[in-house]
Amino acid sequence: MVLEPLGKLFNTAAVLSWDASLTLTNTLRWNRKVGQVTPAGCPGAGGKWPEFIPPKEGDSRCSCPALNAMANHGILPRDGKNIKFTEMNQKIRETYNFAASFCYFVPNYAATMLKKDYANDTFDLVDLDLHNGIEHDASLCRQDSALVPDQSKPHAPFIRELLDSASGKDNDGNRLLTIEDLTKYSTKRRVEARETNPDFTLAKVHKTFGSSNSSTLLTIFGGRVDDLETILLEERLPDGWESRILAPMGLTVITFNLTVLRVERGIDEEKFIADREAAGATPKDPAETAAAAETLS
């Protein structure tokens, strides 16, 4: 059985080598033009997204707003079921301008997590919510699964608080989330989830997943509050929207991880607790949190 871990090691090395070459290519070629990021002939080209239809009863959705939005627009199957891993690879690349290496690595990771074959098998979106697979505690958009098992719907209070914390502005005065905003809110969520969820866990790998999700808001979505309000709350791509990544080969793993590392390194739970105590604030009450979760479920 030594061959299986060796095969994974060689596969990862090959993907990272491929990713490095794409990262280099991005530095040597012209960026895509604004308004032409989505490839011609693909859904969303020129900002014209397919009709948005909210999920109906029986449809499969997950804790990822970006994937749910793709199903809501019919870019992925509208019922969110029987999706090929290879299809997700292609559609994510076209929709969000992640690099080809990134778009192979993530679905392949998901297939391995679900003990399925990347090249031949399919999955439903809800399958991705296997707890402590990719889905994890202290999400910025969902309550912990121990409190609300159905992870398909966004938790509006978390999202509102996150977006209200935006401290940046672009040249046109539009409000932007910054790395500092994401680190502060991620810290708050981790501390409060740890205090209110008796089954709370957050291994190092899931901390990385959490900071990766935050980094997607800053990279693909540019941190733009007006867009994120629609994407996170409605799980809909706004009219005229396109990925904020202009790199010709898309956002690579290497480039993306530069943002992920900055977000994760800024998270400081001990400082948050000390500052809260100094301000005379009290921890979240687990009973109140459980009652609120029961009301919303």
mmCIF file of all heavy atoms in Angstrom, residues 243-286:
data_model
loop_
_atom_site.group_PDB
_atom_site.id
_atom_site.type_symbol
_atom_site.label_atom_id
_atom_site.label_comp_id
_atom_site.label_asym_id
_atom_site.label_seq_id
_atom_site.Cartn_x
_atom_site.Cartn_y
_atom_site.Cartn_z
ATOM 1 N N SER A 243 -15.135 38.053 -12.378
ATOM 2 C CA SER A 243 -14.041 37.851 -11.434
ATOM 3 C C SER A 243 -13.113 39.056 -11.433
ATOM 4 O O SER A 243 -12.850 39.662 -12.477
ATOM 5 C CB SER A 243 -13.244 36.604 -11.807
ATOM 6 O OG SER A 243 -12.085 36.484 -10.992
ATOM 7 N N ARG A 244 -12.614 39.416 -10.255
ATOM 8 C CA ARG A 244 -11.684 40.540 -10.133
ATOM 9 C C ARG A 244 -10.256 40.119 -10.430
ATOM 10 O O ARG A 244 -9.341 40.956 -10.395
ATOM 11 C CB ARG A 244 -11.774 41.146 -8.724
ATOM 12 C CG ARG A 244 -13.183 41.580 -8.323
ATOM 13 C CD ARG A 244 -13.810 42.528 -9.324
ATOM 14 N NE ARG A 244 -15.205 42.807 -8.982
ATOM 15 C CZ ARG A 244 -16.022 43.518 -9.749
ATOM 16 N NH1 ARG A 244 -15.595 43.989 -10.917
ATOM 17 N NH2 ARG A 244 -17.272 43.739 -9.381
ATOM 18 N N ILE A 245 -10.051 38.838 -10.740
ATOM 19 C CA ILE A 245 -8.723 38.340 -11.110
ATOM 20 C C ILE A 245 -8.523 38.550 -12.611
ATOM 21 O O ILE A 245 -9.227 37.963 -13.428
ATOM 22 C CB ILE A 245 -8.565 36.856 -10.757
ATOM 23 C CG1 ILE A 245 -8.741 36.641 -9.263
ATOM 24 C CG2 ILE A 245 -7.213 36.323 -11.226
ATOM 25 C CD1 ILE A 245 -7.729 37.364 -8.393
ATOM 26 N N LEU A 246 -7.555 39.391 -12.952
ATOM 27 C CA LEU A 246 -7.294 39.702 -14.364
ATOM 28 C C LEU A 246 -6.135 38.887 -14.931
ATOM 29 O O LEU A 246 -5.878 38.950 -16.142
ATOM 30 C CB LEU A 246 -6.990 41.193 -14.517
ATOM 31 C CG LEU A 246 -8.074 42.158 -14.016
ATOM 32 C CD1 LEU A 246 -7.638 43.606 -14.266
ATOM 33 C CD2 LEU A 246 -9.419 41.881 -14.676
ATOM 34 N N ALA A 247 -5.433 38.141 -14.085
ATOM 35 C CA ALA A 247 -4.272 37.368 -14.545
ATOM 36 C C ALA A 247 -4.678 36.449 -15.692
ATOM 37 O O ALA A 247 -5.713 35.772 -15.615
ATOM 38 C CB ALA A 247 -3.698 36.559 -13.394
ATOM 39 N N PRO A 248 -3.892 36.402 -16.761
ATOM 40 C CA PRO A 248 -4.298 35.645 -17.957
ATOM 41 C C PRO A 248 -4.484 34.158 -17.715
ATOM 42 O O PRO A 248 -5.356 33.535 -18.323
ATOM 43 C CB PRO A 248 -3.160 35.909 -18.948
ATOM 44 C CG PRO A 248 -1.993 36.307 -18.097
ATOM 45 C CD PRO A 248 -2.583 37.055 -16.945
ATOM 46 N N MET A 249 -3.699 33.576 -16.812
ATOM 47 C CA MET A 249 -3.823 32.148 -16.512
ATOM 48 C C MET A 249 -4.674 31.894 -15.266
ATOM 49 O O MET A 249 -4.813 30.760 -14.840
ATOM 50 C CB MET A 249 -2.429 31.528 -16.325
ATOM 51 C CG MET A 249 -1.460 31.802 -17.462
ATOM 52 S SD MET A 249 -2.136 31.438 -19.109
ATOM 53 C CE MET A 249 -2.303 29.665 -19.023
ATOM 54 N N GLY A 250 -5.223 32.959 -14.695
ATOM 55 C CA GLY A 250 -6.077 32.815 -13.530
ATOM 56 C C GLY A 250 -5.305 32.852 -12.222
ATOM 57 O O GLY A 250 -4.076 32.949 -12.191
ATOM 58 N N LEU A 251 -6.046 32.784 -11.126
ATOM 59 C CA LEU A 251 -5.452 32.844 -9.790
ATOM 60 C C LEU A 251 -4.841 31.497 -9.441
ATOM 61 O O LEU A 251 -5.541 30.490 -9.322
ATOM 62 C CB LEU A 251 -6.530 33.208 -8.761
ATOM 63 C CG LEU A 251 -6.070 33.313 -7.301
ATOM 64 C CD1 LEU A 251 -5.041 34.418 -7.130
ATOM 65 C CD2 LEU A 251 -7.268 33.542 -6.384
ATOM 66 N N THR A 252 -3.530 31.475 -9.262
ATOM 67 C CA THR A 252 -2.821 30.233 -8.976
ATOM 68 C C THR A 252 -2.798 29.946 -7.481
ATOM 69 O O THR A 252 -3.040 30.821 -6.648
ATOM 70 C CB THR A 252 -1.380 30.293 -9.494
ATOM 71 O OG1 THR A 252 -0.671 31.322 -8.780
ATOM 72 C CG2 THR A 252 -1.341 30.585 -10.992
ATOM 73 N N VAL A 253 -2.479 28.707 -7.143
ATOM 74 C CA VAL A 253 -2.371 28.299 -5.743
ATOM 75 C C VAL A 253 -1.305 29.120 -5.034
ATOM 76 O O VAL A 253 -1.495 29.590 -3.907
ATOM 77 C CB VAL A 253 -2.046 26.797 -5.640
ATOM 78 C CG1 VAL A 253 -1.835 26.387 -4.176
ATOM 79 C CG2 VAL A 253 -3.148 25.955 -6.278
ATOM 80 N N ILE A 254 -0.170 29.315 -5.689
ATOM 81 C CA ILE A 254 0.938 30.048 -5.082
ATOM 82 C C ILE A 254 0.535 31.482 -4.773
ATOM 83 O O ILE A 254 0.736 31.987 -3.656
ATOM 84 C CB ILE A 254 2.168 30.019 -6.006
ATOM 85 C CG1 ILE A 254 2.744 28.606 -6.064
ATOM 86 C CG2 ILE A 254 3.240 31.011 -5.534
ATOM 87 C CD1 ILE A 254 3.853 28.428 -7.089
ATOM 88 N N THR A 255 -0.054 32.161 -5.741
ATOM 89 C CA THR A 255 -0.457 33.552 -5.536
ATOM 90 C C THR A 255 -1.553 33.653 -4.479
ATOM 91 O O THR A 255 -1.520 34.528 -3.610
ATOM 92 C CB THR A 255 -0.945 34.160 -6.862
ATOM 93 O OG1 THR A 255 0.101 34.059 -7.835
ATOM 94 C CG2 THR A 255 -1.321 35.622 -6.689
ATOM 95 N N PHE A 256 -2.521 32.746 -4.544
ATOM 96 C CA PHE A 256 -3.617 32.742 -3.592
ATOM 97 C C PHE A 256 -3.106 32.569 -2.164
ATOM 98 O O PHE A 256 -3.549 33.252 -1.240
ATOM 99 C CB PHE A 256 -4.586 31.616 -3.954
ATOM 100 C CG PHE A 256 -5.809 31.529 -3.082
ATOM 101 C CD1 PHE A 256 -6.769 32.524 -3.087
ATOM 102 C CD2 PHE A 256 -6.008 30.424 -2.266
ATOM 103 C CE1 PHE A 256 -7.910 32.431 -2.305
ATOM 104 C CE2 PHE A 256 -7.140 30.324 -1.478
ATOM 105 C CZ PHE A 256 -8.093 31.327 -1.497
ATOM 106 N N ASN A 257 -2.139 31.674 -1.984
ATOM 107 C CA ASN A 257 -1.646 31.377 -0.642
ATOM 108 C C ASN A 257 -0.897 32.552 -0.015
ATOM 109 O O ASN A 257 -0.760 32.603 1.216
ATOM 110 C CB ASN A 257 -0.763 30.134 -0.655
ATOM 111 C CG ASN A 257 -1.588 28.859 -0.602
ATOM 112 O OD1 ASN A 257 -2.714 28.850 -0.127
ATOM 113 N ND2 ASN A 257 -1.023 27.772 -1.100
ATOM 114 N N LEU A 258 -0.443 33.484 -0.809
ATOM 115 C CA LEU A 258 0.169 34.686 -0.235
ATOM 116 C C LEU A 258 -0.861 35.469 0.581
ATOM 117 O O LEU A 258 -0.551 36.019 1.641
ATOM 118 C CB LEU A 258 0.746 35.564 -1.345
ATOM 119 C CG LEU A 258 1.903 34.970 -2.153
ATOM 120 C CD1 LEU A 258 2.321 35.926 -3.271
ATOM 121 C CD2 LEU A 258 3.092 34.653 -1.257
ATOM 122 N N THR A 259 -2.093 35.518 0.079
ATOM 123 C CA THR A 259 -3.175 36.172 0.821
ATOM 124 C C THR A 259 -3.620 35.315 1.998
ATOM 125 O O THR A 259 -3.847 35.831 3.108
ATOM 126 C CB THR A 259 -4.366 36.455 -0.106
ATOM 127 O OG1 THR A 259 -3.941 37.259 -1.200
ATOM 128 C CG2 THR A 259 -5.484 37.175 0.637
ATOM 129 N N VAL A 260 -3.740 34.011 1.781
ATOM 130 C CA VAL A 260 -4.163 33.104 2.852
ATOM 131 C C VAL A 260 -3.232 33.216 4.056
ATOM 132 O O VAL A 260 -3.680 33.308 5.204
ATOM 133 C CB VAL A 260 -4.193 31.643 2.353
ATOM 134 C CG1 VAL A 260 -4.506 30.685 3.506
ATOM 135 C CG2 VAL A 260 -5.223 31.479 1.237
ATOM 136 N N LEU A 261 -1.944 33.228 3.808
ATOM 137 C CA LEU A 261 -0.972 33.312 4.900
ATOM 138 C C LEU A 261 -1.106 34.616 5.674
ATOM 139 O O LEU A 261 -1.011 34.631 6.908
ATOM 140 C CB LEU A 261 0.447 33.171 4.346
ATOM 141 C CG LEU A 261 0.838 31.766 3.890
ATOM 142 C CD1 LEU A 261 2.190 31.805 3.172
ATOM 143 C CD2 LEU A 261 0.907 30.804 5.069
ATOM 144 N N ARG A 262 -1.353 35.710 4.963
ATOM 145 C CA ARG A 262 -1.492 36.999 5.642
ATOM 146 C C ARG A 262 -2.745 37.024 6.518
ATOM 147 O O ARG A 262 -2.724 37.559 7.630
ATOM 148 C CB ARG A 262 -1.541 38.133 4.622
ATOM 149 C CG ARG A 262 -0.222 38.374 3.903
ATOM 150 C CD ARG A 262 -0.328 39.541 2.945
ATOM 151 N NE ARG A 262 -0.578 40.802 3.654
ATOM 152 C CZ ARG A 262 -0.905 41.937 3.044
ATOM 153 N NH1 ARG A 262 -1.057 41.957 1.714
ATOM 154 N NH2 ARG A 262 -1.103 43.041 3.743
ATOM 155 N N VAL A 263 -3.839 36.436 6.027
ATOM 156 C CA VAL A 263 -5.068 36.382 6.824
ATOM 157 C C VAL A 263 -4.850 35.519 8.058
ATOM 158 O O VAL A 263 -5.155 35.929 9.187
ATOM 159 C CB VAL A 263 -6.244 35.837 5.984
ATOM 160 C CG1 VAL A 263 -7.458 35.571 6.868
ATOM 161 C CG2 VAL A 263 -6.608 36.811 4.870
ATOM 162 N N GLU A 264 -4.303 34.327 7.876
ATOM 163 C CA GLU A 264 -4.146 33.397 8.997
ATOM 164 C C GLU A 264 -3.170 33.924 10.039
ATOM 165 O O GLU A 264 -3.411 33.799 11.252
ATOM 166 C CB GLU A 264 -3.687 32.028 8.479
ATOM 167 C CG GLU A 264 -3.557 30.955 9.540
ATOM 168 C CD GLU A 264 -4.857 30.683 10.278
ATOM 169 O OE1 GLU A 264 -5.930 30.777 9.651
ATOM 170 O OE2 GLU A 264 -4.785 30.385 11.495
ATOM 171 N N ARG A 265 -2.085 34.539 9.602
ATOM 172 C CA ARG A 265 -1.093 35.055 10.550
ATOM 173 C C ARG A 265 -1.631 36.205 11.394
ATOM 174 O O ARG A 265 -1.146 36.461 12.497
ATOM 175 C CB ARG A 265 0.159 35.510 9.796
ATOM 176 C CG ARG A 265 1.027 34.359 9.307
ATOM 177 C CD ARG A 265 2.192 34.859 8.482
ATOM 178 N NE ARG A 265 3.042 33.761 8.044
ATOM 179 C CZ ARG A 265 4.049 33.886 7.182
ATOM 180 N NH1 ARG A 265 4.319 35.081 6.651
ATOM 181 N NH2 ARG A 265 4.771 32.837 6.840
ATOM 182 N N GLY A 266 -2.635 36.902 10.876
ATOM 183 C CA GLY A 266 -3.193 38.027 11.618
ATOM 184 C C GLY A 266 -4.203 37.629 12.676
ATOM 185 O O GLY A 266 -4.607 38.457 13.495
ATOM 186 N N ILE A 267 -4.630 36.364 12.691
ATOM 187 C CA ILE A 267 -5.648 35.914 13.639
ATOM 188 C C ILE A 267 -4.994 35.677 15.004
ATOM 189 O O ILE A 267 -4.021 34.936 15.117
ATOM 190 C CB ILE A 267 -6.338 34.635 13.123
ATOM 191 C CG1 ILE A 267 -7.116 34.967 11.843
ATOM 192 C CG2 ILE A 267 -7.251 34.035 14.185
ATOM 193 C CD1 ILE A 267 -7.708 33.764 11.147
ATOM 194 N N ASP A 268 -5.544 36.320 16.036
ATOM 195 C CA ASP A 268 -4.956 36.261 17.378
ATOM 196 C C ASP A 268 -6.085 36.157 18.403
ATOM 197 O O ASP A 268 -6.628 37.164 18.864
ATOM 198 C CB ASP A 268 -4.102 37.506 17.638
ATOM 199 C CG ASP A 268 -3.265 37.411 18.898
ATOM 200 O OD1 ASP A 268 -3.615 36.601 19.783
ATOM 201 O OD2 ASP A 268 -2.268 38.154 19.009
ATOM 202 N N GLU A 269 -6.437 34.931 18.756
ATOM 203 C CA GLU A 269 -7.547 34.718 19.679
ATOM 204 C C GLU A 269 -7.224 35.227 21.083
ATOM 205 O O GLU A 269 -8.095 35.778 21.764
ATOM 206 C CB GLU A 269 -7.902 33.230 19.725
ATOM 207 C CG GLU A 269 -8.464 32.696 18.408
ATOM 208 C CD GLU A 269 -8.877 31.248 18.506
ATOM 209 O OE1 GLU A 269 -9.576 30.899 19.485
ATOM 210 O OE2 GLU A 269 -8.513 30.452 17.617
ATOM 211 N N GLU A 270 -6.012 35.040 21.536
ATOM 212 C CA GLU A 270 -5.648 35.477 22.884
ATOM 213 C C GLU A 270 -5.790 36.987 23.030
ATOM 214 O O GLU A 270 -6.292 37.478 24.056
ATOM 215 C CB GLU A 270 -4.218 35.038 23.212
ATOM 216 C CG GLU A 270 -4.063 33.533 23.384
ATOM 217 C CD GLU A 270 -2.652 33.157 23.800
ATOM 218 O OE1 GLU A 270 -1.822 34.075 23.994
ATOM 219 O OE2 GLU A 270 -2.387 31.952 23.921
ATOM 220 N N LYS A 271 -5.360 37.729 22.023
ATOM 221 C CA LYS A 271 -5.480 39.188 22.074
ATOM 222 C C LYS A 271 -6.957 39.598 22.077
ATOM 223 O O LYS A 271 -7.357 40.517 22.795
ATOM 224 C CB LYS A 271 -4.761 39.830 20.889
ATOM 225 C CG LYS A 271 -4.793 41.360 20.908
ATOM 226 C CD LYS A 271 -4.007 41.932 19.732
ATOM 227 C CE LYS A 271 -3.946 43.444 19.804
ATOM 228 N NZ LYS A 271 -5.285 44.072 19.803
ATOM 229 N N PHE A 272 -7.765 38.919 21.274
ATOM 230 C CA PHE A 272 -9.196 39.240 21.233
ATOM 231 C C PHE A 272 -9.814 39.065 22.615
ATOM 232 O O PHE A 272 -10.567 39.933 23.086
ATOM 233 C CB PHE A 272 -9.910 38.341 20.218
ATOM 234 C CG PHE A 272 -11.405 38.536 20.168
ATOM 235 C CD1 PHE A 272 -11.966 39.492 19.340
ATOM 236 C CD2 PHE A 272 -12.243 37.776 20.976
ATOM 237 C CE1 PHE A 272 -13.341 39.683 19.297
ATOM 238 C CE2 PHE A 272 -13.621 37.951 20.945
ATOM 239 C CZ PHE A 272 -14.166 38.909 20.107
ATOM 240 N N ILE A 273 -9.500 37.959 23.284
ATOM 241 C CA ILE A 273 -10.064 37.690 24.609
ATOM 242 C C ILE A 273 -9.575 38.723 25.614
ATOM 243 O O ILE A 273 -10.357 39.236 26.435
ATOM 244 C CB ILE A 273 -9.695 36.265 25.058
ATOM 245 C CG1 ILE A 273 -10.393 35.243 24.158
ATOM 246 C CG2 ILE A 273 -10.073 36.045 26.517
ATOM 247 C CD1 ILE A 273 -9.949 33.814 24.374
ATOM 248 N N ALA A 274 -8.278 39.055 25.544
ATOM 249 C CA ALA A 274 -7.729 40.057 26.465
ATOM 250 C C ALA A 274 -8.378 41.418 26.251
ATOM 251 O O ALA A 274 -8.728 42.116 27.215
ATOM 252 C CB ALA A 274 -6.215 40.149 26.285
ATOM 253 N N ASP A 275 -8.551 41.807 24.995
ATOM 254 C CA ASP A 275 -9.184 43.097 24.688
ATOM 255 C C ASP A 275 -10.637 43.113 25.140
ATOM 256 O O ASP A 275 -11.132 44.141 25.634
ATOM 257 C CB ASP A 275 -9.105 43.381 23.188
ATOM 258 C CG ASP A 275 -7.692 43.694 22.709
ATOM 259 O OD1 ASP A 275 -6.817 43.944 23.563
ATOM 260 O OD2 ASP A 275 -7.463 43.680 21.485
ATOM 261 N N ARG A 276 -11.307 41.996 24.989
ATOM 262 C CA ARG A 276 -12.707 41.912 25.408
ATOM 263 C C ARG A 276 -12.824 42.060 26.929
ATOM 264 O O ARG A 276 -13.705 42.769 27.427
ATOM 265 C CB ARG A 276 -13.303 40.580 24.952
ATOM 266 C CG ARG A 276 -14.781 40.424 25.234
ATOM 267 C CD ARG A 276 -15.314 39.100 24.707
ATOM 268 N NE ARG A 276 -14.700 37.965 25.388
ATOM 269 C CZ ARG A 276 -14.920 36.694 25.049
ATOM 270 N NH1 ARG A 276 -15.737 36.418 24.041
ATOM 271 N NH2 ARG A 276 -14.333 35.716 25.703
ATOM 272 N N GLU A 277 -11.930 41.405 27.634
ATOM 273 C CA GLU A 277 -11.943 41.508 29.093
ATOM 274 C C GLU A 277 -11.621 42.925 29.554
ATOM 275 O O GLU A 277 -12.238 43.450 30.494
ATOM 276 C CB GLU A 277 -10.950 40.511 29.692
ATOM 277 C CG GLU A 277 -11.379 39.052 29.525
ATOM 278 C CD GLU A 277 -10.325 38.085 30.026
ATOM 279 O OE1 GLU A 277 -9.188 38.542 30.325
ATOM 280 O OE2 GLU A 277 -10.619 36.876 30.106
ATOM 281 N N ALA A 278 -10.667 43.552 28.867
ATOM 282 C CA ALA A 278 -10.299 44.925 29.224
ATOM 283 C C ALA A 278 -11.457 45.890 29.000
ATOM 284 O O ALA A 278 -11.606 46.886 29.718
ATOM 285 C CB ALA A 278 -9.080 45.360 28.419
ATOM 286 N N ALA A 279 -12.283 45.574 28.002
ATOM 287 C CA ALA A 279 -13.430 46.434 27.698
ATOM 288 C C ALA A 279 -14.635 46.111 28.570
ATOM 289 O O ALA A 279 -15.671 46.776 28.479
ATOM 290 C CB ALA A 279 -13.805 46.294 26.225
ATOM 291 N N GLY A 280 -14.509 45.076 29.400
ATOM 292 C CA GLY A 280 -15.596 44.712 30.287
ATOM 293 C C GLY A 280 -16.701 43.920 29.624
ATOM 294 O O GLY A 280 -17.779 43.742 30.204
ATOM 295 N N ALA A 281 -16.451 43.421 28.414
ATOM 296 C CA ALA A 281 -17.454 42.622 27.713
ATOM 297 C C ALA A 281 -17.432 41.189 28.233
ATOM 298 O O ALA A 281 -16.457 40.747 28.842
ATOM 299 C CB ALA A 281 -17.188 42.641 26.207
ATOM 300 N N THR A 282 -18.513 40.466 27.986
ATOM 301 C CA THR A 282 -18.619 39.084 28.455
ATOM 302 C C THR A 282 -18.664 38.125 27.278
ATOM 303 O O THR A 282 -19.081 38.498 26.173
ATOM 304 C CB THR A 282 -19.891 38.902 29.301
ATOM 305 O OG1 THR A 282 -21.033 39.283 28.520
ATOM 306 C CG2 THR A 282 -19.825 39.764 30.553
ATOM 307 N N PRO A 283 -18.246 36.877 27.516
ATOM 308 C CA PRO A 283 -18.308 35.882 26.438
ATOM 309 C C PRO A 283 -19.742 35.619 26.000
ATOM 310 O O PRO A 283 -20.696 35.918 26.721
ATOM 311 C CB PRO A 283 -17.692 34.631 27.080
ATOM 312 C CG PRO A 283 -16.911 35.127 28.241
ATOM 313 C CD PRO A 283 -17.638 36.347 28.732
ATOM 314 N N LYS A 284 -19.891 35.054 24.812
ATOM 315 C CA LYS A 284 -21.201 34.653 24.323
ATOM 316 C C LYS A 284 -21.809 33.606 25.254
ATOM 317 O O LYS A 284 -21.109 32.741 25.777
ATOM 318 C CB LYS A 284 -21.079 34.073 22.906
ATOM 319 C CG LYS A 284 -20.847 35.096 21.811
ATOM 320 C CD LYS A 284 -22.140 35.756 21.415
ATOM 321 C CE LYS A 284 -21.945 36.659 20.189
ATOM 322 N NZ LYS A 284 -23.203 37.271 19.762
ATOM 323 N N ASP A 285 -23.111 33.681 25.466
ATOM 324 C CA ASP A 285 -23.818 32.718 26.296
ATOM 325 C C ASP A 285 -24.214 31.515 25.442
ATOM 326 O O ASP A 285 -25.009 31.651 24.505
ATOM 327 C CB ASP A 285 -25.073 33.365 26.887
ATOM 328 C CG ASP A 285 -25.812 32.447 27.848
ATOM 329 O OD1 ASP A 285 -25.600 31.226 27.792
ATOM 330 O OD2 ASP A 285 -26.593 32.972 28.660
ATOM 331 N N PRO A 286 -23.673 30.313 25.727
ATOM 332 C CA PRO A 286 -24.003 29.135 24.912
ATOM 333 C C PRO A 286 -25.496 28.839 24.872
ATOM 334 O O PRO A 286 -26.017 28.410 23.841
ATOM 335 C CB PRO A 286 -23.225 28.005 25.612
ATOM 336 C CG PRO A 286 -22.119 28.698 26.334
ATOM 337 C CD PRO A 286 -22.687 30.017 26.761
#
